Amino acid sequence: MTTRTADIEKAAAVLRDGGLVALPTETVYGLGADAENPAALARVFRAKGRPPSHPLIVHIAGAERLGDWVREVPATARLLAARFWPGPLTLVLRRGGRVSPAATGGLETVAVRVPDHPVALALLSAFGGGVAAPSANRFGAVSPTTADHVRAELGDAVDFVLDGGPCLVGVESTIVDATGDVPSILRPGGVTREDLEAVLGRSLEVDSTGRTPVPGRHPSHYAPRARVILVGPENVVAEAELAQESGQRVGVLVPSSRAGAPVKAHTVMAVPESPAAYARGLYGILREFDRRGCDVVVVSLPADEGLGLAIANRLRRAAGPRPSR
Ligand code: TXA
Ligand code: MG
């Protein structure tokens, strides 16, 4: 998979014209628009079916540009940016004048990150400004980790899709609120809590009860069409077979402790070996259960440590109560 300079130039031109570009990042594909263009930002919300009160992440080419987008860069933010950018870390800071209020849902803060993907960085450099980009999926649905996922889900709503191959991290960035004296994790993601704590020399709360209306905190998010049932690892096989016997088409994600055991279910997949491979494969696996027409998916949660914290967070949300759709 090669992305040509001509594609980067075309994508940058589309952004300058107020259009929407789907761009690869190391986490998931984003649906990008000029962070200073309110009309383009309004199109992002429409294309996703996302309420405009839910703020977007502004992607920039390098940490040295951070000062353009925020009012001040506290020492904690400087430290985290130096250590983890480019990378799957998003910093929430007090917003500067440059970012359109349409991108921040009217909040006084802005979320910023430098993605670790050569195509995204080439686009950001060619464009020169900030690119506000949520994950390139319909609101509430599973995030895309390939260009084909984006095309299948958003189709004509996107003006240009930059194909950068499959995403290597596979879950979204970790969001850290760095506005106050005590940083906290608003969403676990590709940078682990342990790595953040090691750099900061202090423990970090995962603040899942904050006041900001963030989609990642809706009870149902990251959800496939199939209903997701969470059970303990020792019960995955029995629960799957029970549901299958009741006449449902069951997808089951078998934990390694039960690998190799025959399972009577419609679609059987194995939890990938390493946490990194699990994170990278998670959304593709959920999409595959849908593609095969499963009614329910039975899965157990990994331990809340390392990348397991982000994976478990997404699975809990995928299993959350949802509006009928
Ligand atoms: O890895 C990622 O973060 C991907 C790629 C494309 O960069 N983007 C992504 O965007 O996951 P999205 O919009 O799907 O999720 C962004 C999250 C949302 O939960 C949003 O509410 C939160 O970031 N957020 C944005 N601005 C915020 C702010 N000022 N304060 C608190 N949360 C904020
Ligand atoms: Mg999203």
Side-chain angles (χ1 to χ4, degrees), residues 92-115:
V92 171
L93 293 163
R94 295 191 197 292
R95 73 186 204 87
R98 189 164 173 186
V99 58
S100 166
T104 63
L107 295 176
E108 280 312 302
T109 55
V110 60
V112 186
R113 90 175 184 102
V114 180

Side-chain angles (χ1 to χ4, degrees), residues 3-24 32-34 43 119 122-128 131 151 156 158-163:
T3 306
R4 294 168 304 127
T5 313
D7 291 332
I8 300 289
E9 291 302 332
K10 163 113 197 273
V14 169
L15 290 174
R16 271 181 222 113
D17 287 347
L20 304 190
V21 172
L23 69 151
D34 179 351
R43 281 190 64 202
V119 174
L123 174 62
L124 290 166
S125 294
F127 176 58
V131 173
R151 292 189 194 101
D156 291 346
V158 190
D159 298 308
F160 192 64
V161 179
L162 268 178
D163 191 339

Side-chain angles (χ1 to χ4, degrees), residues 161-254:
V161 179
L162 268 178
D163 191 339
C167 302
L168 293 180
V169 174
V171 292
E172 296 82 353
S173 60
T174 304
I175 303 180
V176 170
D177 181 344
T179 51
D181 294 337
V182 183
S184 64
I185 296 175
L186 300 180
R187 177 180 72 180
V191 171
T192 66
R193 175 187 193 161
E194 293 84 347
D195 283 349
L196 290 166
E197 290 179 343
V199 167
L200 293 175
R202 67 187 302 164
S203 64
L204 280 180
E205 291 298 312
V206 180
D207 170 20
S208 55
T209 57
R211 314 104 283 175
T212 311
V214 300
R217 294 199 183 118
H218 268 212
S220 171
H221 210 73
Y222 313 108
R225 195 175 56 240
R227 194 161 55 84
V228 176
I229 302 175
L230 300 178
V231 295
E234 66 289 354
N235 294 328
V236 167
V237 170
E239 179 73 30
E241 294 187 338
L242 201 67
Q244 183 76 24
E245 274 163 33
S246 78
Q248 303 182 81
R249 269 174 305 194
V250 175
V252 54
L253 192 53
V254 181

Side-chain angles (χ1 to χ4, degrees), residues 28 48 50 134-137 141 143 172 187 215 221-222:
V28 302
K48 270 188 73 92
R50 169 156 158 169
S135 51
N137 52 277
S143 300
E172 296 82 353
R187 177 180 72 180
H221 210 73
Y222 313 108

Side-chain angles (χ1 to χ4, degrees), residues 61-126:
E64 67 284 356
R65 307 266 179 88
L66 182 56
D68 296 354
W69 299 92
V70 304
R71 187 148 11 115
E72 74 225 339
V73 185
T76 306
R78 205 176 296 280
L79 182 64
L80 292 176
R83 171 61 184 78
F84 294 106
W85 282 357
L89 175 72
T90 294
L91 295 173
V92 171
L93 293 163
R94 295 191 197 292
R95 73 186 204 87
R98 189 164 173 186
V99 58
S100 166
T104 63
L107 295 176
E108 280 312 302
T109 55
V110 60
V112 186
R113 90 175 184 102
V114 180
D116 186 14
H117 193 293
V119 174
L121 290 172
L123 174 62
L124 290 166
S125 294

